[in-house]
């Protein structure tokens, strides 16, 4: 049933800060309406580009697990814009998607370990740096969250909770960027709003 039906995992599983026994319901029950039969692949591609464009056909296939999407993209080509990447590959995007200038600063961000931004492209070097790969995170558990500095992986972070205290430790590959501690404080206020004491530690690896 889990392999062949459209299911949604529901509480008590996956509650914030705790978990419980695995429980499922059908997608139709959760949404309160029937699923659209045979939704067109063009809709899937457009929704992907809205979140992760500009992207190549191979990026779309990596994210979706589907093949032969080049045919779908070709049908959409008249309503898309195209670019040529530094490696010569063709990139597709929505015409009205925001595209900041190359020199526009990207604010620091703290991502969870399996954030879609890190997994949704065939070429992950557009986000993941050599310094990140050198840490061999895949061989360690638990895997920490990732720090983005100017749009690229620039370190890791982890929160430790002890009763009423929540401590966020941010470790960076290079000298810490401006605004990183402030971003950490925002994360702590969101993730551990019930803690009476918040502390952000920023250190260089």
């Amino acid at each position: 049933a889990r392999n062949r039906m459209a299911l949604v995992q529901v509480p008590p599983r996956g509650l914030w800060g705790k978990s419980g026994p695995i429980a499922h319901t059908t997608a139709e029950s959760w949404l309160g309406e029937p699923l659209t039969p045979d939704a067109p692949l063009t809709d899937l591609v457009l929704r992907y580009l809205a979140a992760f464009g500009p992207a190549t056909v191979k990026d779309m296939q990596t994210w979706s697990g589907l093949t032969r999407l080049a045919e779908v993209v070709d049908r959409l080509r008249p309503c898309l814009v195209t670019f040529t990447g530094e490696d010569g590959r063709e990139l597709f995007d929505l015409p009205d998607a925001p595209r900041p200038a190359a020199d526009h600063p990207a604010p620091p961000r703290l991502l969870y370990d399996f954030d879609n931004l890190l997994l949704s492209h065939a070429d992950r070097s557009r986000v993941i740096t050599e310094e990140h790969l050198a840490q061999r995170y895949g061989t360690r558990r638990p895997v920490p969250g990732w720090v983005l500095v100017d749009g690229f992986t620039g370190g890791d972070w982890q929160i430790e909770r002890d009763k009423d205290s929540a401590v966020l430790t941010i470790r960076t590959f290079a000298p810490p960027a401006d605004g990183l501690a402030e971003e950490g404080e925002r994360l702590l206020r969101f993730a551990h709003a019930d803690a009476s004491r918040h502390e952000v530690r920023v250190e260089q690896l």
Side-chain angles (χ1 to χ4, degrees), residues 72-85:
V72 180
V73 174
D74 279 340
R75 294 201 301 270
L76 288 170
R77 188 179 288 273
C79 61
L80 300 175
V81 292
T82 60
F83 304 93
T84 301

Side-chain angles (χ1 to χ4, degrees), residues 158-160 164-170 181 184-185 188-189 195-202:
Q158 203 157 16
I159 296 177
E160 294 183 354
D164 292 331
S165 175
V167 178
L168 166 62
T169 300
I170 299 173
E185 291 169 1
L188 275 182
R189 289 197 298 270
S196 59
R197 175 178 171 271
H198 290 161
E199 181 182 353
V200 177
R201 301 171 181 170
V202 181

Side-chain angles (χ1 to χ4, degrees), residues 130-200:
E130 291 295 329
E131 292 88 349
H132 177 280
L133 296 174
Q135 300 299 317
R136 301 180 62 82
Y137 290 107
T139 64
R140 307 203 307 264
R141 293 292 186 272
V143 176
W146 314 130
V147 176
L148 287 191
V149 177
D150 200 23
F152 293 92
T153 48
D156 60 39
W157 65 268
Q158 203 157 16
I159 296 177
E160 294 183 354
R161 179 68 186 263
D162 182 17
K163 297 181 180 179
D164 292 331
S165 175
V167 178
L168 166 62
T169 300
I170 299 173
R171 306 185 311 161
T172 60
F173 305 140
D178 292 340
L180 194 52
E182 291 79 0
E183 183 70 6
E185 291 169 1
R186 285 191 287 271
L187 174 63
L188 275 182
R189 289 197 298 270
F190 169 76
H192 294 276
D194 60 327
S196 59
R197 175 178 171 271
H198 290 161
E199 181 182 353
V200 177

Side-chain angles (χ1 to χ4, degrees), residues 56 58-59 62 87 89 117-118 120-128:
T56 66
K58 191 173 181 180
D59 291 330
T62 297
D87 56 2
R89 295 180 304 163
L117 176 64
L118 302 175
S120 297
H121 298 93
D123 178 13
R124 296 181 181 175
S125 66
R126 62 191 296 169
V127 178
I128 296 177

